[in-house]
Amino acid sequence: MKKTLIVLFALLALPALAIAAGGGTAPAASNANINDTASLQRGARLVMNHCVSCHSIEFMRYSRIGQDLGLSEEQVMRNLNFTGAKFGETVTVAMSGADGAQWFGKAPPDLSLTARARGVDWIYDYLKSFYWDEKAGIGWNNTRLPNASMPHVLWELQGVQRPVYSTGADGLTVVSGFVLSDADKARAKAYDEVARAIANFMQYVGEPVAVQRQSIGVWVLLFLAFFTFIAWLLKHEFWRDVH
C-alpha cells in the first residue's frame, strides 16, 4: 500500500516537475494546427533555413515532407534542402558533433522528438522567450530555458527583447517582462506567426502519421455511424415479428 501511494504521488507530481524544469510557469498556448498545410509549409521553410544548419531531424526524410505537405520533389530540393542530401535521405546537418561541442559547449541535439518530449506549446513559448543578456557569453538568454547555449537565430524576425528585472518572493532577481523598441514591436507581433509555424512543423515532425490518422479517423467515424444505422435496421427487422 505504501509503494502504491508513492507511485501515485510521483505521477501527480510529474506535471509540476515538468513546469519547474521548463521555466516555472505553464507555456503560452500555441494554437498550432497540423491540418493547416500552409502553416506546415511555412514552418518547414523556417526550420530548414534557420535551424538545420546546427540541428538535425534524423527521423524525417525529405521525401516524406514533400508527400505530407503537398510539395513536389523539385520544390523540396530547391527550397528546403541545403545540405546536399538526396530526396529520399533523412534531414541531417553538415556540422560535426565535435564542432558543435567546441562552439556551443555541446553538440546541438536532434529535433525529431522535441515536440513529443517538450510539447508544441513549450516550443512556441521557447522561441518567444529569448532576450538580450549582456552577461551571457553568447549575448542571449531565455526565460523558458535559462542559460541555454543556443543564440537567438531568429532575432531579425522578432526584434531584440530587453529584460525587465524584478525581485522574486525568494529574494532573487528574475526577468518579469520584456521591452521592445517601437520599431521592433511590429516585428514582434508578426513573429508570433513565425513561432507558431515552427512549432506546428515540429509537432508534425514528432508524429508525421498524425495528419493521416486524423483524416482516416473521420472516415472511420462515418463508417461506424453508417454501420450502427444498418445494425439498428436489422435489429428492427428481426424483432418485428416477435412483437
Side-chain angles (χ1 to χ4, degrees):
M1 182 65 179
K2 184 177 180 180
K3 291 183 178 179
T4 302
L5 291 175
I6 293 174
V7 171
L8 289 174
F9 176 79
L11 291 174
L12 291 173
L14 282 177
L17 291 174
I19 291 175
T25 59
S30 64
N31 297 318
N33 178 13
I34 59 172
N35 293 310
D36 187 344
T37 303
S39 174
L40 289 176
Q41 291 176 349
R42 186 184 186 193
R45 178 175 57 82
L46 288 163
V47 169
M48 297 303 175
N49 277 276
H50 296 280
C51 304
V52 173
S53 56
C54 295
H55 296 275
S56 62
I57 311 177
E58 293 187 346
F59 291 175
M60 177 58 64
R61 297 183 183 276
Y62 289 103
S63 56
R64 180 62 186 269
I65 294 174
Q67 174 186 336
D68 291 341
L69 273 58
L71 301 172
S72 67
E73 179 176 349
E74 180 185 359
Q75 289 174 318
V76 171
M77 298 302 283
R78 184 177 68 247
N79 301 309
L80 302 181
N81 186 348
F82 306 110
T83 64
K86 296 180 180 179
F87 184 58
E89 292 181 337
T90 58
V91 182
T92 57
V93 61
M95 182 179 65
S96 68
D99 287 340
Q102 179 180 355
W103 297 335
F104 302 108
K106 63 179 180 179
D110 181 82
L111 299 180
S112 301
L113 299 178
T114 303
R116 299 190 68 173
R118 296 282 194 174
V120 63
D121 292 344
W122 187 94
I123 296 175
Y124 172 74
D125 200 52
Y126 172 72
L127 293 173
K128 294 182 58 179
S129 298
F130 281 96
Y131 64 93
W132 180 251
D133 185 356
E134 296 178 353
K135 297 179 181 179
I138 57 175
W140 297 97
N141 211 326
N142 191 290
T143 56
R144 177 54 54 185
L145 190 62
N147 300 318
S149 57
M150 174 180 166
H152 189 16
V153 296
L154 299 168
W155 73 269
E156 291 182 307
L157 298 178
Q158 184 186 24
V160 179
Q161 294 188 134
R162 298 190 181 276
V164 175
Y165 294 101
S166 63
T167 303
D170 53 5
L172 298 177
T173 301
V174 297
V175 178
S176 57
F178 303 115
V179 292
L180 296 99
S181 66
D182 292 338
D184 285 340
K185 288 180 180 178
R187 285 195 291 179
K189 186 176 182 180
Y191 180 75
D192 286 353
E193 290 302 320
V194 171
R196 183 173 293 108
I198 293 176
N200 198 21
F201 178 72
M202 295 313 303
Q203 179 178 216
Y204 153 75
V205 167
E207 191 179 5
V209 73
V211 177
Q212 297 178 355
R213 186 183 68 238
Q214 291 186 12
S215 176
I216 294 173
V218 173
W219 291 104
V220 170
L221 291 175
L222 290 174
F223 169 77
L224 291 175
F226 176 74
F227 179 80
T228 301
F229 177 69
I230 296 299
W232 178 82
L233 290 178
L234 288 173
K235 183 258 184 186
H236 182 73
E237 182 65 23
F238 290 156
W239 287 87
R240 182 173 59 180
D241 296 335
V242 176
H243 294 291

